[in-house]
Amino acid sequence: MKFCTFSHPARGSMRPGVLTSDGASIVDLGDAFPDILSIIKGGDEAKAKARVLQEKAEIRMPLNEAKLHAPVPVPEQIRDSMLFEKHVQQAMERIAIMRKPLLGPLLVKLGMIKVAPTWYQIPIYYKSNRFSVNGPDGDVIWPRYSQVMDFELEFGFFLGKGGKNIKPSEARDHIFGFTIFNDFSARDAQSIEMQSMLGPCKGKDFDTGNSMGPFLVTLDEIGDPYSLRMQARVNGETWCDSNSSTIHHTFEDLLARVSADETVYPGEFFGSGTVGDGCGLEHGRYLKDGDVVELEVEKIGILRNRVVRQK
């Protein structure tokens, strides 16, 4: 099933919904559930109830008449990671060139910029601001302290069942479904912060900076999450055309790592990190005021946002 949060003049704002099987209409689930988060937390019983409503509900609103929001406007938690080796390698090379314009290109050419061995040993992640979630077609407001804005082509999953010390072999049973994630980044602020060796803060944390959507697609409908085409376009120009099969650390490995002696809960979101070639940093190109970014992930849809500089 493809769940969403939507607004419609006839139904009100921020209603939970599910896409009909033909993909043309939305069934309003608001009379049965307060929001999508409650469906996630409700487990198999809630999903079964939603499926019955999807099949039998008489009131259906055309998808093109509804406004979609982030499927879960306020997740229980956001953890983002770096699971794609190509992105990590290329990002490090670009950063070396940026910081050392004369020496950096030579170091890259000689193959001296290498991914840290620890990256291969464990999935790395950080916690992001769960209150700054944006949705499809929502404007991303460029923070005033930044001059260099970037996008990141990611997808990720919402946890459907909590736990602790989850084994990789059991981790997939804890996944509810997947959505697209655009981790917008103020690269200049991030570059300064990362030199402190603590991690990103204002490079990532600004209102509207975490974009998700358009749908939350259940695991059974996704099938294999490691065979999905992933594309990024800026103003219609393709910047990235890759595949989730290029992932190095799996979601199962990530969930096992995060849950080690730490309880995780339904409704938490886990991002994949950027797929290789999936951001402007890797191309040495960045966004401009008014640019429209489209991220497309097979079986999930298209997440579209415009970046807008404040006057």
Side-chain angles (χ1 to χ4, degrees), residues 1 155 177-179 217-228 297-300:
M1 288 183 286
F155 77 123
F178 295 85
T179 195
V217 185
T218 52
L219 177 62
D220 60 308
E221 187 157 331
I222 286 289
D224 181 7
Y226 308 122
S227 63
L228 305 176
V297 177
E298 187 179 357
K299 298 185 178 181
I300 301 178

Side-chain angles (χ1 to χ4, degrees), residues 3-5 14-17 29-50 53 71-76 158-160 176 216 266-268:
F3 291 100
C4 64
T5 295
M14 305 298 277
R15 305 279 293 184
L29 301 176
D31 293 334
F33 302 98
D35 50 34
I36 298 300
L37 193 57
S38 66
I39 299 174
I40 295 173
K41 292 181 176 182
D44 291 339
E45 183 178 343
K47 277 203 301 184
K49 184 176 181 180
L53 293 171
V72 181
V74 184
E76 294 291 79
F158 275 89
L159 203 63
F176 179 88
L216 173 53
E268 294 194 35

Side-chain angles (χ1 to χ4, degrees), residues 73-87:
V74 184
E76 294 291 79
Q77 179 72 274
I78 297 178
R79 291 179 172 91
D80 200 12
S81 52
M82 295 195 304
L83 304 182
F84 291 94
E85 180 185 21
K86 185 177 183 181
H87 165 72

Side-chain angles (χ1 to χ4, degrees), residues 12-238:
S13 62
M14 305 298 277
R15 305 279 293 184
V18 63
L19 204 62
T20 54
S21 56
D22 62 4
S25 304
I26 296 174
V27 172
D28 188 348
L29 301 176
D31 293 334
F33 302 98
D35 50 34
I36 298 300
L37 193 57
S38 66
I39 299 174
I40 295 173
K41 292 181 176 182
D44 291 339
E45 183 178 343
K47 277 203 301 184
K49 184 176 181 180
R51 187 174 293 280
V52 171
L53 293 171
Q54 178 195 37
E55 295 172 352
K56 296 185 177 181
E58 296 181 359
I59 300 178
R60 302 176 178 222
M61 289 145 293
L63 176 61
N64 59 10
E65 294 181 5
K67 174 178 174 55
L68 296 180
H69 305 276
V72 181
V74 184
E76 294 291 79
Q77 179 72 274
I78 297 178
R79 291 179 172 91
D80 200 12
S81 52
M82 295 195 304
L83 304 182
F84 291 94
E85 180 185 21
K86 185 177 183 181
H87 165 72
V88 179
Q89 179 64 47
Q90 293 187 155
M92 289 178 59
E93 292 173 353
R94 282 291 178 181
I95 290 170
I97 293 172
M98 288 167 53
R99 291 180 178 170
K100 300 179 180 180
L102 297 179
L103 182 59
L106 177 60
L107 295 176
V108 171
K109 184 177 181 179
L110 295 175
M112 298 180 68
I113 305 299
K114 299 183 180 297
V115 177
T118 52
W119 183 87
Y120 294 98
Q121 296 167 11
I122 55 174
I124 303 297
Y125 70 94
Y126 70 96
K127 294 175 182 176
S128 188
N129 186 351
R130 70 189 187 99
F131 297 107
S132 65
V133 172
N134 199 3
D137 294 309
D139 284 349
V140 175
I141 307 303
W142 195 315
R144 298 180 191 276
Y145 53 79
S146 173
Q147 300 300 316
V148 184
M149 180 60 66
D150 200 359
F151 69 92
E152 301 201 28
L153 170 55
E154 308 185 24
F155 77 123
F157 67 90
F158 275 89
L159 203 63
K161 183 173 69 173
K164 181 178 178 179
N165 295 319
I166 300 169
K167 298 177 182 178
S169 60
E170 301 171 351
R172 193 169 291 199
D173 293 336
H174 291 255
I175 295 175
F176 179 88
F178 295 85
T179 195
I180 303 172
F181 183 40
N182 194 337
D183 173 31
F184 282 93
S185 301
R187 291 296 188 201
D188 44 355
Q190 182 186 6
S191 179
I192 294 171
E193 293 165 352
M194 296 302 287
Q195 295 178 57
S196 70
M197 301 181 68
L198 182 60
C201 42
K202 298 306 292 181
K204 302 287 188 177
D205 289 344
F206 49 90
D207 288 350
T208 69
N210 291 323
S211 191
M212 295 185 187
F215 301 101
L216 173 53
V217 185
T218 52
L219 177 62
D220 60 308
E221 187 157 331
I222 286 289
D224 181 7
Y226 308 122
S227 63
L228 305 176
R229 187 179 183 185
M230 302 178 67
Q231 303 171 77
R233 295 178 291 273
V234 179
N235 301 327
E237 178 189 354
T238 298

